[in-house]
């Protein structure tokens, strides 16, 4: 009798496991077992996010950690791609930079809000005069990118920032923009970016060669605030969301995702619900404002050879129409 009951119990456990995997469409090997103990900040929700069909891994820790860098690079195939999509030829630069950071945690240890509702705030001129600041500040997680300022634009874009993605040419240098509650995420596009971070963190001489414009020469962020984005996020944005070819024709310059699309990809991996603001651009009027700040116009966007803006706009249109995300600046 006891053996019969044990058999029923084990069968029930197995059935629950199978149903769970089917309902979530999960890859049961989503993260190495050793990571389960430490990377426990992403909380599983009872329902799928709207964008679940886009994800290969239902849960994914997006920041690199010094302690398991090599193991994670191998597990997610980062060691098979060069920057910005992997670590293959830049592993030593990654290790140097990571050795100077104090944490790779996703959220604060006291943050216990499950199923987070997030907003990704682009820098588009469409945010002007929308007075979305209070709405944006109401989200659990607020993701911004580059040097899109909050100071002086609070009514339009809010005051709070949870995560800010940056690269050396786009980082804030003026301390007036500092915020101790912001986690600053280096999005590395080239080995120089990692070397730059390491030089800043060690007080070394900054080599400004190899950048498309002068990089920041000081950091307004403390080491405890800084993370390095796992290149898998950038690779997914390029190959799986934007469907870029892995090899471009010799006649074309290789295209890479903008920081905005990378930020949305990050949000898909750490949030249960994602809203967007400031991702609409007016291509019919090249004199219209490019950003909600400054005087740059859309003519600059049309000259950009590094990104495929058309592919990105089609991707945004698709995820909005499918209700994977909600666009707060949709007319």
């Amino acid at each position: 009798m006891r053996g019969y009951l044990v058999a029923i119990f084990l069968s029930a456990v197995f059935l629950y496991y199978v149903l769970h995997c089917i309902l979530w469409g999960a890859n049961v090997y989503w993260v190495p077992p050793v990571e389960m103990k430490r990377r426990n900040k992403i909380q599983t929700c009872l329902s799928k996010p709207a964008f679940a069909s886009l994800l290969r891994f239902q849960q994914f820790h997006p920041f690199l950690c010094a302690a398991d860098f090599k193991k994670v690079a191998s597990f997610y195939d980062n060691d098979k791609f060069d920057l910005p999509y992997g670590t293959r030829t830049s592993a030593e630069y990654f290790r140097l930079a990571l050795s100077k950071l104090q944490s790779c945690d996703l959220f604060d240890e006291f943050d216990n809000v499950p199923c987070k509702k997030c907003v990704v705030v682009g820098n588009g001129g469409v945010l002007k005069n929308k007075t979305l600041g209070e709405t944006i500040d109401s989200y659990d997680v607020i993701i911004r990118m580059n040097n899109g300022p909050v100071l002086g634009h609070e009514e339009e874009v809010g005051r709070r920032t949870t995560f800010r993605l940056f690269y050396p040419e786009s980082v804030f240098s003026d301390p007036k923009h500092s915020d101790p509650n912001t986690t600053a995420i280096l999005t590395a596009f080239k080995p120089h970016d990692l070397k730059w971070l390491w030089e800043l963190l060690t007080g070394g001489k900054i080599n400004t060669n190899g950048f498309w414009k002068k990089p920041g020469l000081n950091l307004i962020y403390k080491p405890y605030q800084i993370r390095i984005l796992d290149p898998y996020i950038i690779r997914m944005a390029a190959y799986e969301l934007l469907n870029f070819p892995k090899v471009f024709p010799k006649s074309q310059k290789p295209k890479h995702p903008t920081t905005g699309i990378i930020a949305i990809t990050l949000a898909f991996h750490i949030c249960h619900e994602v809203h967007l603001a400031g991702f609409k651009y007016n291509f019919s009027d090249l004199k219209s404002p490019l950003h909600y700040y400054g005087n740059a116009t859309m003519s600059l966007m049309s000259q950009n050879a590094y990104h495929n803006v058309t592919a990105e706009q089609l991707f945004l249109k698709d995820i909005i129409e499918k209700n994977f995300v909600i666009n707060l600046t949709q007319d």
Side-chain angles (χ1 to χ4, degrees):
M1 182 65 179
R2 179 179 296 176
Y4 181 74
L5 291 174
V6 170
I8 293 177
F9 174 77
L10 291 176
S11 298
V13 170
F14 177 76
L15 180 61
Y16 171 81
Y17 178 80
V18 170
L19 288 174
H20 176 79
C21 290
I22 292 173
L23 290 172
W24 273 87
N27 179 343
V28 295
Y29 299 105
W30 65 270
V31 72
V34 69
E35 297 307 304
M36 293 289 287
K37 298 178 182 177
R38 190 166 54 83
R39 296 182 171 181
N40 57 358
K41 299 293 184 179
I42 305 174
Q43 298 188 31
T44 301
C45 301
L46 296 178
S47 61
K48 282 186 180 181
F51 44 81
S53 60
L54 297 176
L55 305 182
R56 180 185 300 181
F57 304 105
Q58 293 296 338
Q59 296 184 351
F60 177 80
H61 189 87
F63 306 143
L64 295 177
C65 303
D68 58 7
F69 168 75
K70 185 176 180 179
K71 181 178 295 184
V72 170
S74 175
F75 189 86
Y76 292 109
D77 291 336
N78 286 340
D79 54 3
K80 295 180 174 61
F81 297 86
D82 295 334
L83 278 172
Y85 304 135
T87 63
R88 181 166 54 188
T89 56
S90 306
E92 189 57 32
Y93 285 124
F94 274 103
R95 289 192 188 97
L96 284 171
L98 288 168
S99 71
K100 297 301 175 183
L101 302 184
Q102 295 177 3
S103 174
C104 61
D105 288 345
L106 180 56
F107 296 112
D108 184 273
E109 61 180 320
F110 301 109
D111 183 342
N112 56 7
V113 177
C115 307
K116 288 181 168 56
K117 186 175 179 180
C118 307
V119 60
V120 184
V121 184
N123 294 332
V126 69
L127 281 167
K128 282 193 172 186
N129 304 316
K130 287 290 195 297
T131 62
L132 285 173
E134 187 174 345
T135 299
I136 289 171
D137 279 341
S138 69
Y139 284 80
D140 300 319
V141 174
I142 303 167
I143 304 175
R144 306 184 193 271
M145 65 276 325
N146 302 327
N147 52 358
V150 167
L151 192 65
H153 300 273
E154 293 87 349
E155 189 174 355
E156 295 168 325
V157 300
R159 301 173 183 274
R160 296 176 49 235
T161 303
T162 313
F163 299 114
R164 183 180 289 275
L165 281 70
F166 73 93
Y167 51 91
E169 296 95 333
S170 75
V171 68
F172 281 129
S173 293
D174 192 333
K176 72 181 182 182
H177 295 292
S178 65
D179 178 1
N181 297 314
T182 293
T183 296
I185 307 168
L186 174 65
T187 309
F189 289 98
K190 52 191 180 298
H192 290 83
D193 298 349
L194 297 160
K195 189 170 183 289
W196 165 86
L197 179 61
W198 181 72
E199 289 170 346
L200 281 174
L201 292 172
T202 57
K205 183 179 179 181
I206 309 300
N207 185 347
T208 59
N209 294 326
F211 296 95
W212 62 270
K213 74 173 186 177
K214 187 176 180 179
L217 299 181
N218 64 285
L219 279 175
I220 66 170
Y221 305 109
K222 304 297 184 185
Y224 77 87
Q225 294 178 266
I226 301 172
R227 307 288 187 272
I228 297 178
L229 188 69
D230 192 311
Y232 170 77
I233 295 288
I234 309 175
R235 189 166 76 246
M236 179 184 175
Y239 296 154
E240 299 183 33
L241 300 186
L242 298 177
N243 296 310
F244 285 175
K246 292 186 178 179
V247 178
F248 281 84
K250 291 183 178 180
S251 59
Q252 293 184 27
K253 288 185 177 180
K255 301 291 193 297
H256 301 295
T258 60
T259 318
I261 297 298
I262 295 169
I264 293 172
T265 309
L266 168 64
F268 285 163
H269 286 85
I270 64 174
C271 306
H272 188 258
E273 185 175 343
V274 175
H275 293 191
L276 308 178
F279 278 88
K280 185 178 180 181
Y281 296 98
N282 183 5
F283 290 95
S284 62
D285 181 6
L286 295 182
K287 294 183 179 180
S288 63
L290 175 60
H291 301 135
Y292 66 84
Y293 58 91
N295 299 313
T297 63
M298 282 301 302
S299 60
L300 288 177
M301 180 71 83
S302 64
Q303 299 168 12
N304 196 315
Y306 191 71
H307 305 300
N308 188 333
V309 179
T310 301
E312 295 203 358
Q313 289 297 302
L314 289 173
F315 165 70
L316 290 169
K317 182 174 183 290
D318 183 56
I319 61 174
I320 291 168
E321 289 180 349
K322 290 179 178 176
N323 294 317
F324 289 170
V325 300
I326 292 176
N327 186 8
L328 300 181
T329 43
Q330 183 77 25
D331 292 334

